[in-house]
């Protein structure tokens, strides 16, 4: 809005303190009030007439309420929020640690892995639910972090684990807890095998530490399911390479074969195996956009400082929440 404040040189404008008669206009009135102040009766809701003079060039009207309508609060840009820079700092520190230590640093071990279904189901007809089974597992130490991979099997025929909880605990040589991380995996369908690969710890783990991994499902998270369609995804043209800086990258093409809201953006999991077919490492990531049934899309997932001694790899796509 433009506000006209009059001349800036101190001269007066007509109707703003200058009450001299204007040529051809209305003659000045007694009391120094311009004629037009009483020339018209006050209208409803308008400004009341000024009867009599006033001093100082300020009419005795009460201040008016209102003004510009209130504006909605403006959202702060994401780059001005504290949490944004905390996340950026954490990522940068992790990358610096990976570069300093290089690929394949640390040790590799199968660790201690247990699986359970939580407390025994209490609802009638649900006592036959079997806990999830950890078929194979492995972890390695890299830049003070624990990189682990799990092969989890749901042997039930008509119950899926809506949410499975993965708890990773790192302990020092005297049994003190160095870290404890929790992750949640969604939708492990009946009769299926799911691979999960991730990272745990605070960056200060040592080769002498022990790692315990537990997989469990709460009673309320076992629900009836007909399972997912067979051949839900088709994955082709895959490659896995490691660059000189320790980054391992998997690329390929994926096609969604069945419609479903939870099928459109799956998690891509890459597992690394030795010559005997045992897990030695793994990593995961998401595709860049939702899949469309029948349309082939490309993907690329990567990670730093993974276990370098592998004989083969496999790529899976898991439906995600």
């Amino acid at each position: 809005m433009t506000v006209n404040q009059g001349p800036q040189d101190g001269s007066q404008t007509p109707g703003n303190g200058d009450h001299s008669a204007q040529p051809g206009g209305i003659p000045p009135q007694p009391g120094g009030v311009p004629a037009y102040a009483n020339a018209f009766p006050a209208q409803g809701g308008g400004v009341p007439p000024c009867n009599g003079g006033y001093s100082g060039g300020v009419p005795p009207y009460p201040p008016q309420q209102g003004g510009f309508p209130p504006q909605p609060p403006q959202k702060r840009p994401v780059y001005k929020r504290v949490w944004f820079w905390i996340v950026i700092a954490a990522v940068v520190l992790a990358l610096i640690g990976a570069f300093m230590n290089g690929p394949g640093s640390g040790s590799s071990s199968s660790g201690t892995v247990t699986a359970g279904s939580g407390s025994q189901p209490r609802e009638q007809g649900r006592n036959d639910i079997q806990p999830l089974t950890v078929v194979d597992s492995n972890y390695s130490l890299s830049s003070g972090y624990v990189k682990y991979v799990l092969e989890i099997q749901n042997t039930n025929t008509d119950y899926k684990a809506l949410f499975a909880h993965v708890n990773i605990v790192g302990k020092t040589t005297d049994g003190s807890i160095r870290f404890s991380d929790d992750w949640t995996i969604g939708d492990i369908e009946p009769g299926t095998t799911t691979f999960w690969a991730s990272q745990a710890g605070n960056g200060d783990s040592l080769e002498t530490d022990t790692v315990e991994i537990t997989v469990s499902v709460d009673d309320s998270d076992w629900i009836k399911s007909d399972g997912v369609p067979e051949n839900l995804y088709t994955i082709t043209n895959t490659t896995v390479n490691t660059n000189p800086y320790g980054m391992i990258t998997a690329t390929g093409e994926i096609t969604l074969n069945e419609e479903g809201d939870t099928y459109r953006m799956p998690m891509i999991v890459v597992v690394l195996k030795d010559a005997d077919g045992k897990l030695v490492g793994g990593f995961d990531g998401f595709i860049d956009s939702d899949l469309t049934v029948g349309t082939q899309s490309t993907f690329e997932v990567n990670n730093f400082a993974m276990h370098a001694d592998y004989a083969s790899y496999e790529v899976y796509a898991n439906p995600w929440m």
Side-chain angles (χ1 to χ4, degrees), residues 148 164-169 179-184 196 200 214 216:
Y148 66 95
H165 307 287
V166 180
N167 176 247
I168 308 96
V169 178
F179 70 86
S180 179
D181 285 357
D182 294 281
W183 292 90
T184 300
W196 173 256
T214 302
S216 63

Side-chain angles (χ1 to χ4, degrees), residues 9-272:
D9 59 359
S11 61
Q12 295 177 326
T13 58
N16 186 22
D18 181 7
H19 306 316
S20 60
Q22 304 299 314
I26 302 174
Q29 302 299 307
V33 180
Y36 53 77
N38 289 322
F40 303 98
Q43 303 300 313
V47 180
C50 179
N51 295 318
Y54 52 84
S55 62
V58 181
Y61 300 142
Q64 303 298 310
Q65 302 296 320
F68 295 108
Q71 301 298 315
Q74 300 296 316
K75 293 184 177 179
R76 296 175 62 190
V78 67
Y79 61 84
K80 291 186 177 181
R81 297 179 182 271
V82 175
W83 62 262
F84 173 80
W85 293 107
I86 292 176
V87 172
I88 293 297
V91 172
V92 170
L93 288 176
L95 293 180
I96 291 175
F99 277 111
M100 292 177 62
N101 287 275
S105 61
S107 60
S108 177
S109 171
S110 60
T112 301
V113 181
T114 58
S117 61
S119 58
Q120 185 69 19
R122 297 183 179 87
E123 295 182 18
Q124 185 176 4
R126 297 188 62 187
N127 292 332
D128 59 341
I129 296 178
Q130 299 300 311
L132 297 175
T133 302
V134 178
V135 179
D136 194 7
S137 64
N138 207 326
Y139 72 86
S140 61
L141 190 65
S142 176
S143 305
Y145 291 93
V146 173
K147 309 269 189 173
Y148 66 95
V149 58
L150 305 173
E151 181 179 354
I152 307 170
Q153 194 173 72
N154 181 2
T155 60
N156 295 286
T157 57
D158 53 2
Y159 279 96
K160 78 173 180 179
L162 183 61
F163 299 110
H165 307 287
V166 180
N167 176 247
I168 308 96
V169 178
K171 293 183 178 181
T172 62
T173 53
D174 64 0
S176 300
I177 295 178
R178 188 181 297 278
F179 70 86
S180 179
D181 285 357
D182 294 281
W183 292 90
T184 300
I185 310 173
D187 287 342
I188 301 181
E189 295 287 346
T192 63
T193 297
T194 297
F195 289 90
W196 173 256
S198 192
Q199 172 180 294
N202 303 313
D204 58 353
S205 296
L206 303 176
E207 293 185 10
T208 54
D209 290 352
T210 59
V211 177
E212 299 176 358
I213 304 175
T214 302
V215 180
S216 63
V217 180
D218 293 339
D219 297 342
S220 59
D221 289 333
W222 286 109
I223 63 174
K224 282 277 189 178
S225 174
D226 295 330
V228 296
E230 292 185 9
N231 301 318
L232 180 59
Y233 304 103
T234 300
I235 299 176
T236 58
N237 197 22
T238 60
T239 59
V240 173
N241 294 295
T242 303
N243 69 15
Y245 303 103
M247 175 179 283
I248 185 169
T249 301
T251 59
E253 296 173 328
I254 182 172
T255 303
L256 174 63
N257 299 319
E258 298 285 345
E259 186 61 71
D261 291 339
T262 60
Y263 304 156
R264 295 175 183 170
M265 185 174 283
M267 171 179 280
I268 303 297
V269 181
V270 182
V271 296
L272 309 175

Side-chain angles (χ1 to χ4, degrees), residues 276-307:
D276 296 326
K278 296 293 185 180
L279 295 174
V280 294
F283 57 101
D284 56 32
F286 291 95
I287 60 176
D288 294 332
S289 59
D290 288 358
L291 298 178
T292 302
V293 175
T295 301
Q296 192 174 67
S297 301
T298 60
F299 65 84
E300 177 178 320
V301 295
N302 50 56
N303 206 311
F304 269 102
M306 296 305 303
H307 200 291

